[in-house]
Amino acid sequence: KDNIYSKLKFYRSNLENAGKFFYNKKDYEKALSFIKMYLRGEEYFHNQTSDSVLSNRKDLALLAVLSSYAISKYADVITFLPYALTDSSTNEKLLEIGCKAYSSLKQSEEMFTMLNEGFFKYPNNEFFFATIILNRFWTVCAFFLNKIAIFSP
């Protein structure tokens, strides 16, 4: 492991910089590939917990979520979302992206959990409010349509 660490540490900043460079160029596919390589190397750097390393991890996780979402790789959004959510300044938007990703992956239970979290943390956010209201509306409609179907000849 020490041998791998010594080899990776020279390339680590290159991976970080390449990820940021391609993200800024809106080449999200390439950005995501470099960010994934950087974050996968975390297991070899787990004992490094300086503020700058933790900050880089949060920043790159955020870029990984945004890049994944931009290219519709929703499974990757979900993979990196917990790390990105450690930065509270972006949580409102990230919870919204997470809800949309879970919805696209047809994972309703997880979507509703995140939707409720977003609604209670950010009650003025239109997305959370509207999505919950619309969902409740369709649930009630489905309930009544089901009842009508039972009593229809």
Side-chain angles (χ1 to χ4, degrees), residues 6 18 52 55 58 63 78 100 129 131 150:
S6 64
S52 64
S55 176
K58 285 186 229 178
L63 294 183
I78 301 308
K100 291 175 181 178
F129 180 78
T131 306
I150 290 173

Side-chain angles (χ1 to χ4, degrees), residues 10-11 19 53 87 89 92 117 122 126 137 141-142 151:
F10 294 111
Y11 300 106
V53 170
D87 180 8
S89 67
E92 186 172 358
E117 180 184 347
Y122 308 102
E126 292 177 16
F137 172 76
C141 286
F151 294 113

Side-chain angles (χ1 to χ4, degrees), residues 29-92:
E29 192 78 44
K30 283 184 182 175
L32 184 60
S33 71
F34 283 106
I35 293 168
K36 277 181 163 181
M37 282 188 268
Y38 178 94
L39 293 173
R40 282 189 185 132
E42 286 290 303
E43 67 182 88
Y44 300 107
F45 298 93
H46 69 279
N47 58 350
Q48 292 189 2
T49 54
S50 69
D51 289 341
S52 64
V53 170
L54 294 175
S55 176
N56 285 350
R57 190 178 302 151
K58 285 186 229 178
D59 292 346
L60 289 175
L62 173 63
L63 294 183
V65 168
L66 297 175
S67 296
S68 301
Y69 187 72
I71 56 176
S72 303
K73 290 193 171 188
Y74 302 116
D76 285 337
V77 169
I78 301 308
T79 299
F80 296 109
L81 193 60
Y83 304 107
L85 284 171
T86 59
D87 180 8
S88 61
S89 67
T90 57
N91 280 4
E92 186 172 358

